Amino acid sequence: MTLTIIFLYLAAVFAIGTLSHRLLRGTGEDFFLASRTIGPFVLLMSLFGTHMTAFSLLGASGEAYHHGVGVFSLMASSSALVVPLAFLFLAPRVWRLGERHGYLTQVEFFRDRWQSDALGLLLFLVMVALLVPYLLIGIKGGGITLAQITGGATPEWVGSVLMSVVVLGYVSIGGLRGTAWVNTFQTLVFMALGATTFFLITHKLGGLGAAMERVTQASPDLLARSGHIAPLQLFTYLAIPLSVAMFPHIFMHWLTAKSEASFRLPIVAYPICVAIVWVPSVVLGILGNLDFPGLVGPQANSVLVMMIAKYAPGAMAGLLAAGVLAAVMSSLDSQVLSLSTMFTRDIVNHYGFLTRHGDRLGDRQSVLVGRIFVVAIFAITLALALTVDRSLFKLGVWCFTGFAALTPLIVAALYWKRSTRTGAFSTILVAAGLWIYFFGKGWEEPGYTVLGRGIMPVAVILAASSVAMVIGSLLTKPPPEKHLTRFFPE
Amino acid sequence: MQPESDTRIFKVTGGFTLAVIVLFALHQDFWLRDNATLIAGLPVGLLYHLGYCLLVSLVLGLFVYRRKSRP
């Protein structure tokens, strides 16, 4: 019964995504950017659904299982502040420039802004390298969900492959319009089912108050932040949500907006959506200690699904598991589409590969090439998902650290006329170098913080990459005034 | 040449800058660090940050919708 419900859900998602195909206008801009016609509500749902992934459901509950209530302040309320501010200061400007110059991808924008092909190529490689672990979080999360909810009857890889096929299917057919529609549906589903899961499980545990009283007896340390999260860690973690500024899939969704005013609702409603999704995840993660004590490390990523299977078996478990899959797929689809778009626009078309005279590919050919590229990326990610056993939360944090470290690029591109391509190169190289260094440290020592004082590596890398942008730019010749008027008109 | 104004419909004011600084400060709730009291079944630290999310939404709402009539 559980599996039937999940299959029905996946079929519904596929149908919504592909039905939007009927509305396609047959142009590349429509396939990749929905012809820039997305209104406030669908924009909010797309942005939020894209941003929230297995990280915020499975990873958050797993982390709350180990570290308690402080996980909400660490990741959720920091996102509730930083993400809307990033939307406010960056999205309208990006949207205006995208509309004016016809950009479809982030790489295209930066390449044009600093007039450097090499910069575009480097950025493309960095984006792919950072997106693969992000895809891994989703693919692994989907596999874990199906495996747990069926009591191990469905191997993890089957769930991962099944979900990947569904996502590939509707993204390939429906483009970004299909993705936006599916995201809206799935975001509503995972928000509603997340709340349902919360009320159902707490009710079966005798009510929220009674369940929490039991936690007070068994593990009181989980109900306060001290002992788990250092003050400097809480402060420096504020840099992590800045990653949203550099996600290529979020950038693409910004460009789909109907108008600048469409960003008002996402900016205002985003913190509320964060609370709706994260409070149940964190609370259920803490309560998981009552029924499933002793989970070690990444095992806790499954605690939410284990609770669903215990307290809501059968059809309800299928529905609730569908809610988890909804969160996962609503991110995977946009990530896949952004990868596909970057590959076709910024590599194949830009360099004239696959054509005899270096011409651009037609829309149909571009989409085909993009699909082949995405299938290859999915295959690599699936292979990694079967071999890597890191905590979803920690994997996500490293991925976000990389994107956040590149934030000086977009800020300088939009606000600092004096910034140069050397500054941009310096930012990327310094961020990449330090990221590799700190990742190595974190790999050897889980829970690593700089100097052991709770300072997150992202804060150090971000500071260094910002300084690199300033120094690199000031040491080189300013961009020509005529070129700047394209980005900073009177 | 002057850069384009700080976005057409989202023009930053001194009041808004101050509000954002206060919001960043309020996020660092060191005064609740050791407090595990339950209120309405929720730990006070979680309840505080739930209210914090609503406050952020309110502040941003006042800012972006106040400018609606002055594009």
Side-chain angles (χ1 to χ4, degrees), chain A residues 19-216:
Chain A
L19 276 176
S20 67
H21 178 62
R22 291 167 180 268
L23 295 174
L24 275 180
R25 297 175 188 174
T27 64
E29 191 182 54
D30 195 64
F31 184 86
F32 293 117
L33 287 187
S35 295
R36 305 179 203 264
T37 55
I38 301 297
F41 182 70
V42 175
L43 187 65
L44 164 67
M45 291 291 112
S46 302
L47 287 169
F48 185 68
T50 300
H51 194 207
M52 296 292 122
T53 175
F55 181 81
S56 40
L57 290 178
L58 305 178
S61 53
E63 202 68 8
Y65 175 92
H66 291 305
H67 301 297
V69 71
V71 170
F72 188 87
S73 52
L74 195 67
M75 281 309 294
S77 58
S78 56
S79 290
L81 176 62
V82 174
V83 174
L85 286 177
F87 289 172
L88 177 67
F89 287 107
L90 306 176
R93 280 186 172 234
V94 165
W95 179 84
R96 281 205 303 275
L97 290 172
E99 194 194 35
R100 191 176 300 149
H101 302 303
Y103 299 130
L104 295 190
T105 72
Q106 205 178 32
V107 169
E108 220 170 3
F109 165 62
F110 287 118
R111 190 176 58 217
D112 195 22
R113 170 67 176 85
W114 284 304
Q115 298 178 287
S116 170
D117 267 14
L119 180 72
L121 186 61
L122 177 64
L123 203 56
F124 170 78
L125 295 174
V126 170
M127 289 297 163
V128 172
L130 287 173
L131 266 181
V132 167
Y134 203 170
L135 285 171
L136 185 61
I137 297 169
I139 287 176
K140 213 168 167 53
I144 289 173
T145 302
L146 272 187
Q148 290 287 341
I149 212 79
T150 57
T154 313
E156 207 176 298
W157 68 268
V158 173
S160 296
V161 171
L162 180 67
M163 202 178 55
S164 305
V165 169
V166 171
V167 170
L168 271 175
Y170 73 74
V171 167
S172 297
I173 298 171
L176 194 54
R177 187 186 297 281
T179 301
W181 281 28
V182 171
N183 273 352
T184 301
F185 171 69
Q186 300 212 98
T187 305
L188 289 171
V189 165
F190 78 71
M191 287 170 82
L193 291 180
T196 308
T197 309
F198 176 74
F199 287 114
L200 198 74
I201 293 177
T202 51
H203 175 72
K204 295 227 173 161
L205 283 167
L208 179 62
M212 279 296 181
E213 285 295 345
R214 286 172 61 198
V215 177
T216 306

Side-chain angles (χ1 to χ4, degrees), chain A residues 58 61-62 144-145 148 156 292 295 297-308 392:
Chain A
L58 305 178
S61 53
I144 289 173
T145 302
Q148 290 287 341
E156 207 176 298
F292 305 101
L295 298 179
Q299 289 176 343
N301 290 332
S302 310
V303 70
L304 182 62
V305 185
M306 288 159 79
M307 292 180 83
I308 291 173
L392 288 177

